Amino acid sequence: MRLTNYTDYSLRVLTYLALKDKEELSNIKEIADFYQISKNHLMKVTYELGKWGIIETIRGRNGGIRLSIDPEEVNIGKVVRKTEDDFHLVECFDASRNDCIISPVCGLKHVLNEALVAYLNVLDQYTLKDILQNKQMLSQYLSSNSSEKKQQEG
């Protein structure tokens, strides 16, 4: 199973914002620069995260984005479910496109479904706070990379 870039980027944005002080604003450009990913992709991600109420977007010259809820309220399983288009691991998981001739009697789809359910159940056990157990190290990495970028620009 592979998560889409959209889900990956959503989790990265949330991680980045959780490393900041609660009231501190970030912007899409700084996050895109930090992760070296597309600003356009992050605009879509932050728009959706804002619609879902996970992040707050403040418009204007001094605007930006920040978490709108505490990291312990951000369930990783829920984020993954919201950001993934589907969980069709194999053709028979999508009834509208299933052309597999053994599908009615195949036992593999049940095994794969059980694995998928277990995968999502594990993700449901974790919050954004849980994945930030090494917050101090992550924050140091964030600040050192920000300093390096400023030196390169200066």
Side-chain angles (χ1 to χ4, degrees), residues 86-111:
D86 64 62
F87 290 98
H88 300 153
L89 300 181
V90 288
E91 181 181 314
C92 60
F93 277 33
D94 182 1
S96 68
R97 295 185 177 172
N98 184 15
D99 292 326
C100 180
I101 61 170
I102 65 168
S103 186
V105 294
C106 181
L108 179 60
K109 65 183 172 186
H110 301 293
V111 172

Side-chain angles (χ1 to χ4, degrees), residues 18 67 69-75 127-130 132 135:
L67 285 179
I69 59 178
D70 291 328
E72 57 267 11
E73 296 177 51
V74 180
N75 182 273
T127 67
L128 186 55
K129 182 181 177 184
D130 295 323
L132 295 174
K135 186 174 181 175

Side-chain angles (χ1 to χ4, degrees), residues 20-124:
K20 299 290 188 163
D21 291 332
K22 192 171 186 163
E23 297 302 316
E24 186 178 354
L25 294 175
S26 298
N27 63 57
I28 293 169
K29 183 185 179 331
E30 86 185 56
I31 298 170
D33 288 348
F34 178 75
Y35 287 120
Q36 299 180 359
I37 55 181
S38 165
K39 184 179 163 187
N40 288 336
H41 288 319
L42 291 187
M43 288 173 66
K44 295 173 191 171
V45 164
T46 56
Y47 173 75
E48 288 298 319
L49 292 172
K51 268 183 27 179
W52 299 331
I54 299 173
I55 67 170
E56 177 182 14
T57 58
I58 293 98
R59 295 186 178 270
R61 179 171 153 81
N62 295 317
I65 58 175
R66 63 182 166 215
L67 285 179
S68 62
I69 59 178
D70 291 328
E72 57 267 11
E73 296 177 51
V74 180
N75 182 273
I76 301 302
K78 286 182 182 177
V79 172
V80 169
R81 281 182 182 83
K82 283 186 171 219
T83 55
E84 284 296 306
D85 291 334
D86 64 62
F87 290 98
H88 300 153
L89 300 181
V90 288
E91 181 181 314
C92 60
F93 277 33
D94 182 1
S96 68
R97 295 185 177 172
N98 184 15
D99 292 326
C100 180
I101 61 170
I102 65 168
S103 186
V105 294
C106 181
L108 179 60
K109 65 183 172 186
H110 301 293
V111 172
L112 292 174
N113 187 60
E114 184 179 342
L116 175 61
V117 169
Y119 174 78
L120 293 170
N121 284 337
V122 169
L123 293 177
D124 287 339

